[in-house]
Amino acid sequence: MIRELVPEDLRKECDPQLMACDTTEDLSPLEEIIGQDRAVRALRFGIDIAERGFNIFVAGVPGTGKTTAVKDFLEEVAKTKPVPTDWCYVHNFQNPYEPNAISLPPGMAKIFQKDMANFIQEVRKNLPKVFESDEYARKREITIGAIEKEREQLFAELNMKAQAEGFILQSSPIGLLTIPVVKGRPLNEKDFLSLSPEVRAEIQKKRDVLEAELRSAMRQLRGLARKTDEAIRKMDQEVALYTIEFAMSELKEKYKNHKEIVDYLIAVQNDILENLEQFVSEPKTQAQQPFPWVEELPFRKYEVKVVVDNSSLRGAPVVLEQNPTYQNLFGRIEKEARLGVLSTDFTMIHGGSLHAANGGYLVLPAGETLGNMFTWDSLKRALMNREIMIEEAGERLGFITTKGLKPEPIPLNVKVILIGSPLVYELLVRYDPQFKELFKVKADFDTVMDRTEENMRKYAAFICTFCKKEKLKHLDASAVSKIIAYGSRLAEDQAKLSTRFAEVADIIREANFYAVQEGSNYITASHVKKAIEEKIYRSNLIQEKIKEMIKRGVLLIDTEGSVVGQVNGLSVTGFGDFSFGMPSRLTASIGIGREGVVDIEREAKLGGPIHTKGVLILSGYLSNKYAQDKPLTLSARLVFEQSYSGVEGDSASSAELYALLSALSGIPIKQSIAVTGSVNQKGEVQAIGGVNEKIEGFYEVCKAKGLTGKQGVMIPESNVQNLMLKEEIVEAVKAGKFHIYSVKTIDEGIEVLTGVKAGNRKSDGTFEENTVNSKVDKRLREMAEKLKEFPEAEASKRKEE
């Protein structure tokens, strides 16, 4: 049924009773994901289930606010979850290249770090004082004195023995020398050689015996020296232990419930006792040590490196990592130059986002995660092994062969939420076999939601919450109504609202700018309207150029009169963030033959596959309707005039069919009416996309060339629900300056375009007289008969086949 649409069909306005946004209650973070019930349900399931692999992939087109909404949603949920433990690294005294990781209750890591720093500072302060005290000197003297007496006694006995044999002992840099004595006088080398051989032999014999005893005595002396050193070392350790024992006991008592820390404290205590010299040595002057930091290096091993500090959290952590490089995610081990050499230790270990999110939630952009080298594979490995390893990226490739740190892995318990497009999700499912094992929950963000009264109230609440967050002026009731209408326009559906909140937010921000300029207390409908118009104006230069070319006759588009085999089709052209509709002249020519309907766009390789399909459907329609009692002997050509680029889509297939019917019947088509809609083989006109842009595009051309009151657009009946036209067009329709028709079938459409009845098929198989269908059927019959007059053409055709 042909229907001329009235203004109420063209734009669905909002309830005028809608409250202004400053009187609307704010949305809670759990309510801010409006219109995304399916996604919220998936998020709740993914968050609540604790089994391995149930991480979440949030899929949706850009601009739906999914990142902000998911983060706010997680932060609200995280408030009810326990705060995870702190993590720190300490020196491994058994293997310094493998620092130990220690877990502590929230907030205790920094306390432990401070306690250790204070303890070492106290030890460094007190130990030198103790070892410089008189009491220590007396104890050392007593300890050394007893052993010294024993040494002196042994040396005296040895000297007496030497004298009895005619020798004296003399100390030298190389040890004790035995000097022979003759007649009370020590002999030098010259004197010794002047003696007779018999005397020298006797003396040498006695010397050999004495030196054997001397070697035995020297071993005893060395043993006494070691005994002295051991006694001093033992005494020093006892003194040092007594000095640090109280502070150490306090630490052990404080952390007695943490076995790892108690074991670490014992190791620290033992290391201090083994390395007392670094605590009691006198500080060097600037001249002696030009690099003061060198003296601090030995004490770094007693520090505590905190990599995760959850002292400020009030629930589970929620971390949004916008730049998920390998180091940002998994941490890094820094290096510093020391005297021209790069060095590192456990104090230069830094945690990443994965450490910060451990025990909570980590939100990552899927595209950036996949694009950063090592990140994706390392993330999968961490999730599968349930541990975080900090290692150099080069080590994974085998490029680094120098010895470096290998910190102990930290157990991982995190819920990862990847945010990306549906295409990224599809590619991962198809080409990454591990993806489905690790991300078993998909949360799909829709681009539209139902335009119910409840959702409109939520829309208004979103606007209010947004204005408060961004400190913008609030919208009055008329402005809220305009924003909701704009949401339906973005959704291209009167019964839907767009969830592309980024675009809605941009309009509100711009409207606020105009409200501030005017000094208005509220953002009004006029400000919203101006913001929308200005946004279009900044992007519609190409549209204006095309409109000018049509007005000046460069592009041939008729908006008046009637022409046989010619119709104004409509298409949508997009340039980045802006798309607009524009008319195109579509012509058809016919002749006798068996080629059927030939698409010139396809022959020129300018037609896409969907457009080609639409043209092929035309042959099916003609055969089904007119070739039941005769062969279809037709050679027709279809083309978009002045089209120099690719043509895709089937939304012009109904317009192409109207041009063919006009050419076959000889009945002219009104050029004042543009056409859009696809068609099937049964002659039903089907819905198309971009209906608002197409109508507005033709309206702008008609306005430029002059509105006559007869111009309009014909659309499929199923597209009426998608109409959210500009108010200017609604007013033009209301004033009778422009018309919009909806049709369900080709027969209805041809009647609108020609003003001639389409014609029904009678019981005898013919069509009603003087109708479009009867004229088409008659012309096709004449062409079939005419073709029989050229049997050579028929034979040639069969030969080609």
Side-chain angles (χ1 to χ4, degrees):
M1 175 180 172
I2 302 170
R3 187 159 72 95
E4 183 173 354
L5 304 183
V6 296
E8 288 74 18
D9 297 320
L10 308 181
R11 182 182 178 89
K12 187 175 181 180
E13 294 292 349
C14 183
D15 184 357
Q17 302 300 319
L18 193 69
M19 296 182 291
C21 78
D22 63 336
T23 61
T24 307
E25 293 183 4
D26 290 353
L27 291 172
S28 71
L30 294 180
E31 296 174 326
E32 282 189 21
I33 314 182
I34 58 175
Q36 304 290 358
D37 295 342
R38 182 186 298 272
V40 171
R41 182 173 175 178
L43 282 171
R44 288 189 181 278
F45 169 73
I47 288 169
D48 291 341
I49 190 168
E51 276 71 13
R52 179 179 177 180
F54 282 85
N55 297 293
I56 306 167
F57 190 101
V58 177
V61 300
T64 52
K66 53 188 181 296
T67 300
T68 303
V70 167
K71 184 174 182 291
D72 292 344
F73 179 83
L74 291 174
E75 286 175 347
E76 192 67 19
V77 171
K79 292 177 182 177
T80 63
K81 306 295 182 181
V83 180
T85 58
D86 291 348
W87 283 95
C88 60
Y89 276 105
V90 295
H91 184 71
N92 183 346
F93 293 96
Q94 300 297 321
N95 186 353
Y97 291 100
E98 297 182 4
N100 293 326
I102 295 179
S103 170
L104 285 166
M108 282 198 69
K110 291 188 77 173
I111 296 174
F112 178 50
Q113 182 186 50
K114 187 176 180 180
D115 286 344
M116 282 303 300
N118 292 337
F119 170 73
I120 295 300
Q121 185 178 2
E122 185 178 345
V123 171
R124 294 181 66 181
K125 177 183 177 182
N126 293 335
L127 280 183
K129 291 181 180 179
V130 170
F131 283 94
E132 291 171 3
S133 65
D134 294 338
E135 183 179 355
Y136 170 76
R138 284 194 300 270
K139 283 187 177 182
R140 181 183 175 88
E141 189 175 338
I142 292 171
T143 302
I144 296 176
I147 301 175
E148 189 65 26
K149 286 181 180 179
E150 193 173 343
R151 179 179 177 278
E152 289 175 357
Q153 183 179 352
L154 179 62
F155 193 78
E157 291 176 357
L158 187 60
N159 209 9
M160 289 175 60
K161 179 71 172 174
Q163 290 176 5
E165 295 293 335
F167 293 89
I168 61 171
L169 298 179
Q170 183 179 332
S171 296
S172 74
I174 61 173
L176 290 176
L177 300 178
T178 54
I179 307 298
V181 178
V182 176
K183 298 179 181 181
R185 185 172 66 86
L187 299 180
N188 55 27
E189 187 68 20
K190 184 178 179 181
D191 294 336
F192 179 74
L193 293 175
S194 66
L195 298 175
S196 64
E198 293 81 6
V199 175
R200 287 203 310 270
E202 182 66 24
I203 291 174
Q204 188 61 42
K205 184 177 179 182
K206 291 180 180 180
R207 175 182 280 175
D208 291 341
V209 173
L210 182 61
E211 285 183 350
E213 293 181 6
L214 183 61
R215 283 193 293 271
S216 175
M218 288 302 295
R219 284 194 293 271
Q220 293 182 52
L221 286 173
R222 283 194 293 271
L224 288 174
R226 285 194 296 271
K227 186 177 179 181
T228 301
D229 292 340
E230 182 64 29
I232 292 174
R233 189 176 68 83
K234 184 177 180 182
M235 182 194 71
D236 287 349
Q237 289 183 348
E238 289 175 351
V239 170
L241 180 60
Y242 179 79
T243 304
I244 69 174
E245 188 173 19
F246 177 74
M248 179 60 74
S249 298
E250 282 188 328
L251 286 177
K252 290 179 180 178
E253 178 63 26
K254 184 174 183 178
Y255 297 99
K256 62 182 180 182
N257 295 326
H258 306 282
K259 183 179 182 303
E260 287 179 315
I261 291 185
V262 173
D263 292 343
Y264 169 71
L265 292 174
I266 293 172
V268 168
Q269 176 179 294
N270 293 336
D271 190 77
I272 291 173
L273 298 179
E274 291 293 330
N275 298 280
L276 286 173
E277 63 280 356
Q278 67 189 20
F279 287 90
V280 299
S281 60
E282 294 183 2
K284 297 179 180 179
T285 63
Q286 179 73 25
Q288 293 173 320
Q289 179 54 268
F291 304 105
W293 51 267
V294 173
E295 294 188 6
E296 297 298 317
L297 291 179
F299 301 102
R300 277 194 180 182
K301 60 184 174 181
Y302 304 117
E303 295 180 16
V304 174
K305 178 61 180 181
V306 178
V307 292
V308 179
D309 173 30
N310 292 321
S311 58
S312 60
L313 290 182
R314 298 295 179 267
V318 177
V319 178
L320 172 60
E321 180 54 75
Q322 296 282 22
N323 183 27
T325 62
Y326 178 80
Q327 289 189 340
N328 286 352
L329 205 58
F330 291 91
R332 64 190 185 279
I333 303 173
E334 293 182 342
K335 294 179 176 62
E336 64 181 9
R338 299 175 187 168
L339 302 176
V341 178
L342 288 178
S343 303
T344 188
D345 56 53
F346 77 97
T347 63
M348 286 181 257
I349 297 173
H350 296 271
S353 299
L354 208 55
H355 295 85
N358 200 6
Y361 309 96
L362 177 62
V363 183
L364 298 172
E368 287 78 358
T369 302
L370 293 169
N372 277 293
M373 186 178 292
F374 305 125
T375 298
W376 178 240
D377 287 339
S378 299
L379 178 62
K380 290 190 296 182
R381 184 180 295 105
L383 292 175
M384 287 188 290
N385 297 336
R386 295 190 175 185
E387 63 180 21
I388 314 172
M389 289 186 64
I390 303 177
E391 60 182 344
E392 294 285 352
E395 290 182 3
R396 298 204 44 214
L397 294 177
F399 290 160
I400 296 179
T401 56
T402 57
K403 194 168 186 179
L405 295 184
K406 189 177 180 181
E408 180 183 357
I410 292 177
L412 178 63
N413 176 28
V414 69
K415 188 74 70 172
V416 177
I417 297 91
L418 280 179
I419 298 180
S421 67
L423 176 60
V424 172
Y425 180 82
E426 182 181 344
L427 292 173
L428 286 171
V429 169
R430 182 173 298 181
Y431 297 111
D432 191 335
Q434 296 170 324
F435 175 72
K436 285 299 290 180
E437 294 298 318
L438 296 172
F439 291 86
K440 298 182 179 181
V441 180
K442 180 185 180 184
D444 237 336
F445 267 61
D446 200 353
T447 56
V448 296
M449 64 182 184
D450 293 336
R451 183 172 166 166
T452 62
E453 186 174 339
E454 179 185 0
N455 281 345
M456 284 193 288
R457 280 198 296 268
K458 288 182 178 179
Y459 226 73
F462 160 76
I463 294 169
C464 180
T465 303
F466 174 75
C467 289
K468 288 183 178 179
K469 281 184 177 180
E470 301 242 339
K471 296 181 172 54
L472 307 177
K473 291 181 179 293
H474 284 285
L475 285 72
D476 65 12
S478 66
V480 172
S481 177
K482 291 294 182 188
I483 290 294
I484 290 177
Y486 182 70
S488 287
R489 169 59 186 255
L490 289 177
E492 295 188 353
D493 197 322
Q494 295 179 357
K496 300 289 184 180
L497 289 171
S498 174
T499 58
R500 288 183 284 170
F501 293 112
E503 295 187 40
V504 175
D506 286 343
I507 292 297
I508 296 174
R509 292 187 185 102
E510 188 168 344
N512 177 77
F513 172 77
Y514 299 128
V516 171
Q517 278 192 327
E518 291 184 8
S520 174
N521 293 328
Y522 290 92
I523 298 172
T524 64
S526 62
H527 299 135
V528 174
K529 183 179 179 182
K530 184 176 181 181
I532 295 172
E533 290 174 348
E534 288 296 318
K535 181 183 180 184
I536 293 172
Y537 177 77
R538 292 192 295 269
S539 302
N540 73 344
L541 177 62
I542 301 298
Q543 182 185 20
E544 291 298 318
K545 292 290 185 181
I546 292 174
K547 188 167 65 174
E548 181 184 359
M549 293 172 73
I550 293 173
K551 184 179 179 180
R552 296 174 63 183
V554 178
L555 292 179
L556 302 179
I557 299 292
D558 294 331
T559 58
E560 297 180 74
S562 298
V563 180
V564 174
Q566 178 177 300
V567 67
N568 286 326
L570 295 172
S571 61
V572 175
T573 301
F575 291 92
D577 63 339
F578 179 68
S579 58
F580 59 91
M582 55 179 287
S584 299
R585 175 178 287 183
L586 199 157
T587 60
S589 61
I590 61 168
I592 299 173
R594 288 188 175 274
E595 293 176 279
V597 179
V598 177
D599 177 17
I600 293 179
E601 306 294 336
R602 179 189 178 190
E603 296 299 314
K605 297 183 179 180
L606 291 175
I610 298 176
H611 177 259
T612 299
K613 175 186 175 184
V615 174
L616 293 175
I617 287 174
L618 304 186
S619 298
Y621 172 83
L622 294 174
S623 298
N624 181 63
K625 192 156 189 172
Y626 304 111
Q628 301 300 309
D629 55 354
K630 57 187 174 298
L632 189 63
T633 53
L634 171 70
S635 178
R637 301 288 190 276
L638 291 171
V639 68
F640 283 89
E641 304 290 358
Q642 292 184 291
S643 172
Y644 308 106
S645 58
V647 177
E648 182 58 306
D650 63 351
S651 64
S653 57
S654 65
E656 291 169 324
L657 183 53
Y658 293 135
L660 273 177
L661 295 177
S662 172
L664 286 168
S665 66
I667 301 174
I669 287 177
K670 298 173 184 177
Q671 301 301 294
S672 57
I673 299 176
V675 178
T676 186
S678 67
V679 66
N680 62 26
Q681 293 188 109
K682 301 297 182 181
E684 296 171 317
V685 180
Q686 302 168 145
I688 44 80
V691 65
N692 293 294
E693 288 84 356
K694 291 175 179 178
I695 294 173
E696 291 168 357
F698 189 66
Y699 172 80
E700 291 294 334
V701 170
C702 293
K703 186 172 74 168
K705 300 189 74 170
L707 292 171
T708 64
K710 295 181 180 180
Q711 294 137 335
V713 176
M714 188 168 67
I715 66 172
E717 172 68 27
S718 51
N719 275 125
V720 174
Q721 60 190 332
N722 303 118
L723 294 178
M724 284 298 295
L725 295 170
K726 294 178 181 178
E727 294 176 59
E728 180 185 354
I729 298 179
V730 176
E731 293 300 321
V733 170
K734 189 175 182 180
K737 297 180 179 179
F738 198 72
H739 307 274
I740 299 175
Y741 306 91
S742 68
V743 295
K744 289 184 177 180
T745 65
I746 291 297
D747 283 350
E748 293 177 358
I750 199 67
E751 290 182 4
V752 173
L753 292 172
T754 62
V756 178
K757 189 177 179 182
N760 296 321
R761 189 183 292 275
K762 297 188 293 187
S763 58
D764 61 357
T766 62
F767 292 95
E768 297 173 334
E769 291 295 324
N770 297 319
T771 61
V772 175
N773 284 330
S774 68
K775 290 180 181 293
V776 171
D777 187 61
K778 181 180 178 182
R779 181 68 182 277
L780 289 172
R781 190 178 301 277
E782 291 173 352
M783 293 172 72
E785 293 295 329
K786 193 70 174 176
L787 188 61
K788 294 178 182 179
E789 299 178 10
F790 303 94
E792 64 280 2
E794 183 72 15
S796 176
K797 179 67 176 177
R798 288 175 180 173
K799 186 176 180 180
E800 289 177 3
E801 292 176 351

